[in-house]
Amino acid sequence: MTYCVAIDLDDGLVFASDSRTNAGVDQVSTYSKMHTFEIEGQRVFVVLAAGNLATTQSVVQQLKRDMEEGADESLATVERMSDAADYLGRLNREEAEKHSEALSRSGIKAEATLIIGGQIGQDAPAIFMVYPQGNYITTSQQTRFLQIGESKYGKPILDRIIDPTTPLGDAARCALVSIDSTIRSNLTVGPPIEVMVYERGTLTFDHYLCLETDDDYLRSLTQAWDMNIKKAFTDLPRFDWESAHEPKQRGTRVSRGSGKTAGSSSTKAKKPHR
């Protein structure tokens, strides 16, 4: 499985992805799911990939080939980020269709879902999620991040922290915590974790991290998050009954050494007539 996230902020973009692929319990491998394309000073793109590995690798190779060979349409020629999403969507659909019939007979899906983000010239940075069918969505003022893969475990922290004004450093840490939370709950997601931070208007990549399991920063971040989330939990307001000296109990209470029950009549039982 996979988990990738891209965040669109006033100051730029943040991308993060795990590197585990899983084709069964005995076929776990490591592949980068983050791919960069750059014409320094002119345009930059990051592509995050989830889904069928063969399809995503074919799409990425075609993106590179089109740029290198000067194709009429490529990431080097598209005029807007939405055009890049259109172009990527078409490649994704075409690559999946090549093998979908043969793969479907084996019960395998050729589909892939992709995120593309970046900036072209002086246009605003943007991110798009491209579906297997070729269509796509982008962010909004209310929804500043897009996720693909095993997204449910990492979404709560993003919902609570991310807004348009979140600083890039905070957003990058939030993305790492989001992936760490997913790794804790899903064994199909795993390190190395890749993080790319793009500063708006720079048109170059300066801030990239690849964090292995034993990376000092990743370990300290995980430990700090665990410690502080546990502290936050223990600091939650107490229930009224937790601080009461004699907490009320529900149900029937039997007094020791007596057959009487709480709330029963104190009148002595009469002897039966002989």
Side-chain angles (χ1 to χ4, degrees):
M1 198 55 182
T2 296
Y3 176 45
C4 304
V5 59
I7 307 172
D8 182 8
L9 305 162
D10 290 347
D11 292 340
L13 308 173
V14 173
F15 305 88
S17 60
D18 83 309
S19 301
R20 181 168 294 175
T21 63
N22 182 14
V25 294
D26 57 348
Q27 297 187 47
V28 177
S29 303
T30 297
Y31 286 92
S32 174
K33 300 163 190 176
M34 180 183 293
H35 310 277
T36 60
F37 304 84
E38 177 182 8
I39 300 179
E40 191 170 353
Q42 298 180 35
R43 56 184 61 204
V44 291
F45 303 93
V46 176
V47 174
L48 305 178
N52 184 278
L53 182 61
T55 298
T56 60
Q57 288 190 344
S58 295
V59 170
V60 170
Q61 289 303 315
Q62 189 63 51
L63 290 172
K64 294 178 179 178
R65 192 179 304 118
D66 285 349
M67 288 188 73
E68 292 169 355
E69 297 178 356
D72 290 339
E73 186 177 30
S74 72
L75 293 180
T77 64
V78 292
E79 295 183 1
R80 292 174 292 275
M81 284 301 302
S82 59
D83 296 335
D86 268 325
Y87 163 62
L88 180 61
R90 188 178 70 256
L91 290 183
N92 188 29
R93 186 178 64 250
E94 290 173 353
E95 290 296 333
E97 288 174 352
K98 285 181 183 179
H99 309 289
S100 60
E101 184 177 349
L103 289 173
S104 63
R105 289 197 291 268
S106 301
I108 300 173
K109 292 184 178 181
E111 295 181 345
T113 304
L114 306 162
I115 290 176
I116 185 169
Q119 184 173 11
I120 299 174
Q122 298 305 309
D123 290 349
I127 56 176
F128 294 84
M129 181 160 67
V130 180
Y131 294 105
Q133 296 76 17
N135 55 335
Y136 56 83
I137 63 170
T138 188
T139 55
S140 68
Q141 193 65 20
Q142 292 73 36
T143 304
R144 305 303 301 190
F145 59 88
L146 298 173
Q147 301 167 282
I148 53 177
E150 194 60 64
S151 60
K152 57 183 175 291
Y153 302 108
K155 189 173 184 294
I157 180 65
L158 297 167
D159 284 333
R160 289 181 180 275
I161 299 298
I162 299 301
D163 65 46
T165 64
T166 303
L168 292 174
D170 286 348
R173 279 183 289 274
C174 187
L176 280 173
V177 170
S178 177
I179 290 181
D180 178 69
S181 299
T182 305
I183 290 173
R184 282 293 188 94
S185 301
N186 192 309
L187 294 177
T188 65
V189 176
I193 300 172
E194 293 184 87
V195 180
M196 177 70 77
V197 177
Y198 171 70
E199 294 186 48
R200 182 187 185 106
T202 59
L203 297 175
T204 189
F205 295 123
D206 288 326
H207 307 299
Y208 169 76
L209 296 172
C210 184
L211 306 176
E212 300 282 354
T213 305
D214 59 354
D215 182 89
D216 289 339
Y217 178 77
L218 182 60
R219 186 186 295 114
S220 64
L221 183 78
T222 299
Q223 291 173 348
W225 175 250
D226 287 346
M227 180 181 65
N228 283 287
I229 200 169
K230 288 174 182 177
K231 182 179 184 302
F233 180 81
T234 58
D235 288 345
L236 290 174
R238 305 288 93 184
F239 295 109
D240 290 343
W241 52 264
E242 289 182 281
S243 58
H245 294 297
E246 296 182 0
K248 296 180 179 179
Q249 298 185 21
R250 294 175 62 93
T252 301
R253 183 170 59 188
V254 178
S255 301
R256 288 184 178 181
S258 171
K260 297 179 182 179
T261 60
S264 62
S265 172
S266 60
T267 306
K268 295 182 179 180
K270 296 180 179 179
K271 294 182 179 180
H273 293 288
R274 293 183 182 275

